[in-house]
């Protein structure tokens, strides 16, 4: 169990209670091109998702408060491993952005305004529709008819 009296994790360089964007890149993955919407940003760079790297990430997430967002960039297996660690730390899917460097840009079809938005994000992450601004959750479902991956409105269950 984590408690308020727990000392900050050593070696992460993170303030206890850090709120902002934590960027973790693996291999040649590059989070520098990612914007953090003006929020405080803390970068981690790892060669790969080794147990050491993942435990460092776990420490960083463990000492940050609710409201932190996580950006992950790199090879898919590495960022998937990191995302699993983040989920263990209590981060929700919508608080993480996974950018796979192998991923080709994908066109996401918006069911609301019928426009397509190109994204590098992997299936399961969110992208804002460039047509109507709806937050779309991307899927692996490719529609030949649309020539795009189908998106669906994120948090639709919360909105109803
Ligand atoms: Zn739309």
């Amino acid at each position: 169990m984590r408690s308020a009296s727990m000392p900050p994790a050593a070696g992460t360089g993170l303030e206890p209670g850090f709120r902002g964007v934590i960027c973790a890149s693996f291999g040649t993955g590059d989070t520098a091109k990612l914007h953090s919407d003006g929020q405080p940003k803390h970068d981690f760079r790892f060669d790969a998702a080794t147990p050491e790297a993942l435990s460092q990430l776990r420490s960083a997430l463990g000492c940050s408060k609710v409201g932190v967002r996580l950006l992950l960039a790199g090879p898919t297996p590495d960022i998937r491993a990191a995302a699993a660690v983040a989920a263990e730390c209590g981060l929700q899917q919508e608080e993480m952005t996974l950018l796979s460097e192998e991923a080709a840009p994908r066109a996401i079809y918006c069911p609301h305004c019928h426009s397509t938005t190109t994204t590098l994000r992997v299936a399961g992450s969110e992208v804002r529709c460039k047509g109507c601004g709806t937050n779309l959750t991307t899927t692996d479902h490719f529609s030949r008819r649309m020539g795009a991956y189908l998106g669906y409105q994120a948090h639709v269950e919360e909105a109803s």
Side-chain angles (χ1 to χ4, degrees):
M1 289 296 282
R2 205 178 293 148
S3 78
S5 61
M6 190 175 159
T12 62
L14 267 183
E15 301 275 320
F18 174 83
R19 285 176 71 101
V21 183
I22 294 175
C23 297
S25 53
F26 298 92
T28 56
D30 187 11
T31 57
K33 62 189 171 213
L34 304 173
H35 61 91
S36 57
D37 296 326
Q39 292 180 285
K41 188 161 167 276
H42 189 90
D43 282 296
F44 287 100
R45 178 164 284 280
F46 304 114
D47 289 334
T50 59
E52 292 75 28
L54 293 178
S55 85
Q56 202 179 336
L57 189 63
R58 185 181 282 114
S59 307
L61 293 169
C63 73
S64 47
K65 282 205 168 60
V66 181
V68 76
R69 293 186 65 90
L70 180 65
L71 296 177
L72 299 168
T76 305
D78 294 311
I79 60 176
R80 291 247 189 242
V85 165
E88 282 173 32
C89 292
L91 261 77
Q92 303 299 308
Q93 199 65 45
E94 60 266 23
E95 293 169 325
M96 301 180 215
T97 302
L98 276 59
L99 294 165
S100 172
E101 63 184 17
E102 285 117 29
R106 288 150 39 110
I108 306 299
Y109 175 79
C110 175
H112 300 280
C113 68
H114 311 292
S115 65
T116 55
T117 302
T118 305
T119 181
L120 278 169
R121 297 180 182 195
V122 299
S125 52
E126 286 180 22
V127 63
R128 186 176 289 273
C129 172
K130 71 172 163 47
C132 65
T134 299
N135 276 326
L136 298 171
T137 299
T138 63
T139 69
D140 274 323
H141 189 101
F142 185 77
S143 165
R144 285 172 180 271
R145 193 162 66 86
M146 308 298 181
Y149 290 88
L150 299 180
Y152 63 92
Q153 187 176 358
H155 318 304
V156 70
E157 66 285 351
E158 293 165 28
S160 59

